Amino acid sequence: MDIQLKPLSLDPAKLDGLSEQLLRSHYDNNYTGAAKRLNAIRGQLSQLAWDTTPVFTINGLKREELIAANSVYLHELYFENLGGDGVLPSNGLSIALTRDFGSVERWRSEFTALAKAMGGGSGWAILNWSPREGRLVNQWAADHTHLLAGATPILALDMYEHAYHLDFGAKAAAYVDAFMRNINWNTVYPRYGAAVKASALSFGVEPSAVNQATAQLIDVRRAETFADANDMITGARYADPADVSGWVGTLDPERPVVVYCLHGLDIGRSTALSLRARGVSAQFMEGGIEAWRAVQLPLVPKAAA
Ligand SMILES: [Fe+2]
């Protein structure tokens, strides 16, 4: 089956500092071209006599298939993660970036420096979710084929010259700055949430299944949410999910850990995965404190805790 093109999801006339001509050329020539190439290669592969075809032909076709497929996938991520105002709100992703890079600004500095360092060459700067390390990772990809094994791309920045030359000539750094001003974090955050959800499938525990006698219950609601809250789970203590490295050493290594956030979504899941990557036997509470509350399990006023 041929791969189908995805329509351009943004209005290319409305980007800040990236022209409609550049976006249309990129979509029509490079993205569409990669999809056509992929379909042509797969057409040839489907007819190949595998037993008698020279190995150099097989190597060449399979290599080109990989390049074309990843070019299609990454270009789709690229166009979908443009069209916003570039402002990352305070949410589970900003918490994860702070946890994994020290601050959102430090993440931004690393990501943009990595991209600018690729100017004049070709490749992608990618922010990945790595389930192996339970964290976000900035990745250098020299071409379409260098992807971090097992990781999920969250944000993709095309550093091939065709992505900027029409507007910026050789000024790759100015292109990177323009890209950052146009990131649509409303598409990036759900990608992160879905990747974390898939990684955490085995590590959830229902409120009614938590063993309060043995578990260390850690309240990891984001700081603003916790500041506004009136109560918390009986026996729990608070720890900032943006600072896991700051408190992981205070946990009792002999007792299992259950973290909970407000609704049991990316913050609780991601904190549990971050702890597991640090060697802690951690689970997250399905549904968060709101699910606990719904089944009338014990809560205490925050002041008393
Ligand atoms: Fe491209």
Side-chain angles (χ1 to χ4, degrees), residues 215-240:
Q216 299 175 80
L217 276 160
I218 312 293
D219 188 320
V220 296
R221 284 175 284 181
R222 62 181 167 131
E224 300 96 315
T225 306
F226 185 72
D228 291 341
N230 295 316
D231 53 17
M232 58 194 297
I233 291 178
T234 304
R237 68 180 173 92
Y238 182 72
D240 185 347

Side-chain angles (χ1 to χ4, degrees), residues 65-212:
E65 181 193 26
L66 177 62
I67 290 171
N70 272 353
S71 178
V72 169
Y73 301 170
L74 288 169
H75 276 107
E76 287 169 356
L77 294 177
Y78 174 78
F79 293 122
E80 287 166 10
N81 62 217
L82 284 171
D85 64 5
V87 179
L88 175 61
S90 172
N91 60 21
L93 183 54
S94 67
I95 288 170
L97 289 170
T98 302
R99 180 193 66 210
D100 296 336
F101 293 89
S103 67
V104 172
E105 272 317 303
R106 267 203 73 75
W107 164 75
R108 186 184 296 270
S109 296
E110 179 181 313
F111 185 77
T112 55
L114 151 70
K116 289 174 184 179
M118 297 167 81
S122 57
W124 294 82
I126 303 170
L127 173 64
N128 280 306
W129 166 255
S130 166
R132 170 63 184 85
E133 297 194 67
R135 61 161 294 173
L136 292 159
V137 179
N138 285 329
Q139 189 213 327
W140 171 94
D143 61 25
H144 301 300
T145 62
H146 291 169
L147 296 179
L148 188 65
T152 302
I154 303 300
L155 175 69
L157 167 49
D158 190 339
M159 287 308 301
Y160 280 76
E161 276 197 331
H162 65 239
Y164 59 86
H165 201 266
L166 269 176
D167 283 359
F168 297 93
K171 294 178 180 166
Y175 159 67
V176 171
D177 293 338
F179 173 87
M180 298 303 287
R181 291 198 304 274
N182 288 280
I183 294 175
N184 184 355
W185 289 106
N186 293 330
T187 60
V188 177
Y189 186 30
R191 283 180 196 159
Y192 165 73
V196 166
K197 181 181 181 182
S199 306
L201 280 179
S202 320
F203 306 124
V205 56
E206 295 286 338
S208 57
V210 173
N211 185 338
Q212 282 185 272

Side-chain angles (χ1 to χ4, degrees), residues 41-62:
I41 293 164
R42 287 187 172 161
Q44 285 204 19
L45 287 169
S46 70
Q47 304 297 319
L48 219 57
W50 293 103
D51 294 345
T52 54
T53 300
V55 292
F56 57 80
T57 301
I58 294 173
N59 280 333
L61 282 169
K62 291 303 287 184

